[in-house]
Structures are given as C-alpha cells and as structure tokens.
Amino acid sequence: MEKTVKKLNLLPLSAPLFFILTGFLSCASTAVPASDAVVSEKSDSSTVFVILDSNPSTGYSWSYSIEDKNIVAPVSDKFIQNEAPADFVGVGGKHSFILKGKKEGTTQVVFTYARANSEPIQKRVYELNVASDLSTGLKLVSAE
C-alpha cells in the first residue's frame, strides 16, 4: 500500500502578508533600524511607520506613549501575524504603528514590550520632529 504525501503550498498564505509589509516599506525614503525594529518615513508626508517584532501569544505586547499629543497623533496600531499553516498556534509577527504629525514641534514616543501589569522587557524611544509643512522626521533616541 502506497502512502501519499500531501504538499502544503504556502504561496497563497504568504502573498497577503508580503503585500501588506512591502506596502508599508515601499513608500519609505529612509530607514533607521533599531534591533528588531524597522522605522521609516515618507519624505513627502507627515506619516511615519514603526514596525516591531511581536508575539502576543506569549502574553507580551507593544504599547506606546506620546509625550505631546498635540504634535503627533496615532493613525493605526495593529498586529500582522507571520504566515503559518492554519493549525499552528503561537505564531509571531510584526506590530505596526502609524503616526502622523499634527503641528510643528518636537516630541518623544516611547514604545514598551511587556505583559499586563509587568515591567517591560524591551523599550524604544523615538524623537519625532514635525516641520511647519507637517513633514515628520524620526530619530531613534534609545533601544533597550
């Protein structure tokens, strides 16, 4: 009796994630890596993207605080799971944050990776500079 081995085609699963992530990164004119982070900014826009490795199945998640919410506002905050077969659990991915400059000035945004009611195990601090035309620059201040 012959056994048939079924091959799993992951290409259909990988295409949506590929387009989501490359959509974020393809509009980037500069990138500032911070360990596992990909940070990019559009030169013609007030929008910046921060994309961090994450695995919420461990109980850890990224959160952020904005020093001056009059200067920068959040636009999007979402987790994008890595490709995996449907029966896999505990799959990590990327957490993407989109921030937009609202008015001229400088502020800091602090990202922390922690479990609820626990001390963070990772921390990223970025300085955002918003020009009078609302173009937004981003600089990594510290990564712990």
Side-chain angles (χ1 to χ4, degrees), residues 12-26:
L13 297 172
S14 63
L17 183 61
F18 173 78
F19 288 113
I20 290 169
L21 291 177
T22 55
F24 285 135
L25 300 176
S26 66

Side-chain angles (χ1 to χ4, degrees), residues 112-131:
T112 54
Y113 194 58
R115 287 184 171 154
N117 303 315
S118 296
E119 291 296 313
I121 61 169
Q122 292 186 47
K123 182 178 176 182
R124 306 281 186 269
V125 180
Y126 296 99
E127 182 177 275
L128 281 85
N129 294 305
V130 180

Side-chain angles (χ1 to χ4, degrees), residues 10-130:
L10 294 178
L11 186 57
L13 297 172
S14 63
L17 183 61
F18 173 78
F19 288 113
I20 290 169
L21 291 177
T22 55
F24 285 135
L25 300 176
S26 66
C27 37
S29 61
T30 60
V32 181
S35 179
D36 59 348
V38 176
V39 181
S40 59
E41 61 185 270
K42 292 168 106 178
S43 61
D44 61 347
S45 174
S46 60
T47 305
V48 294
F49 303 85
V50 177
I51 303 171
L52 302 161
D53 285 340
S54 182
N55 190 343
S57 70
T58 63
Y60 287 91
S61 62
W62 285 101
S63 61
Y64 64 92
S65 62
I66 300 172
E67 182 181 66
D68 188 340
K69 294 178 183 172
N70 293 315
I71 295 174
V72 175
V75 174
S76 175
D77 170 354
K78 64 183 172 182
F79 173 74
I80 303 165
Q81 181 177 304
N82 290 338
E83 65 181 72
D87 58 344
F88 274 38
V89 295
V91 179
K94 304 286 183 191
H95 199 126
S96 72
F97 299 90
I98 303 174
L99 305 168
K100 185 174 185 70
K102 291 173 50 177
K103 78 172 201 175
E104 185 176 6
T106 300
T107 191
Q108 286 193 344
V109 180
V110 178
F111 292 90
T112 54
Y113 194 58
R115 287 184 171 154
N117 303 315
S118 296
E119 291 296 313
I121 61 169
Q122 292 186 47
K123 182 178 176 182
R124 306 281 186 269
V125 180
Y126 296 99
E127 182 177 275
L128 281 85
N129 294 305
V130 180

